[in-house]
Amino acid sequence: MALRIVIGGDKAGFNYKQALRKDLESDDRVEVVEDVGVGDAEDDTSYPNVAIAAAERIAKGEADRALLICGTGLGVAIAANKVKGIRAVTAHDSYSVQRSVLSNNAQVLCMGERVVGLELARVLVKEWLGVQFDPQSSSAAKVDDICAYESD
Ligand code: RB5
């Protein structure tokens, strides 16, 4: 099933957001890409505002995944994780990107424009699109433990 993806970031992640959005838009595994900002490299909207807007789209069932870019990939992950039901990770290597979905059923991948090269980020996003969580896997019960804590 093709993915509905939200993309966003602050001005520190603007250049990568634009490049990665293009890649997502031309990928057959993606149904739609929704850009929640920022709209240009001078826009001072803070990273939490963008990250929370993206995460809320997923929490409401209006999107499947989000890709968030800031300077480090850290702030957007922290902010997105404040939205109930959201599991956001920062990852800049192939194994972690894959495991974020397979082990943690994370819906949100965060990266830092000041941390990872653009070409590596592009490869990682392609890999990310190719992995899907298996609810029958042994990881499912562990993710359920996170959800149980959250709904207490
Ligand atoms: C710039 O505001 C920078 O702090 C931000 O992009 C991000 O790296 C925060 O975690």
Side-chain angles (χ1 to χ4, degrees), residues 10 12-13 47 70-76 114:
D10 66 0
Y47 66 82
C70 65
T72 57
L74 300 176
V76 283
R114 297 171 182 160

Side-chain angles (χ1 to χ4, degrees), residues 85-144:
I86 296 305
R87 293 173 296 281
V89 302
T90 306
H92 296 113
D93 70 278
S94 177
Y95 185 71
S96 299
V97 168
Q98 291 187 30
R99 293 319 308 181
S100 75
V101 177
L102 298 175
S103 297
N104 313 118
N105 196 12
Q107 314 100 322
V108 184
L109 175 62
C110 305
M111 290 186 181
E113 181 164 333
R114 297 171 182 160
V115 178
V116 65
L118 177 58
E119 293 310 314
L120 176 55
R122 295 179 71 200
V123 167
L124 294 173
V125 170
K126 281 198 180 77
E127 289 182 354
W128 178 61
L129 294 175
V131 281
Q132 284 194 334
F133 183 67
D134 176 2
Q136 306 305 321
S137 71
S138 60
S139 297
K142 298 166 197 170
V143 176
D144 285 347

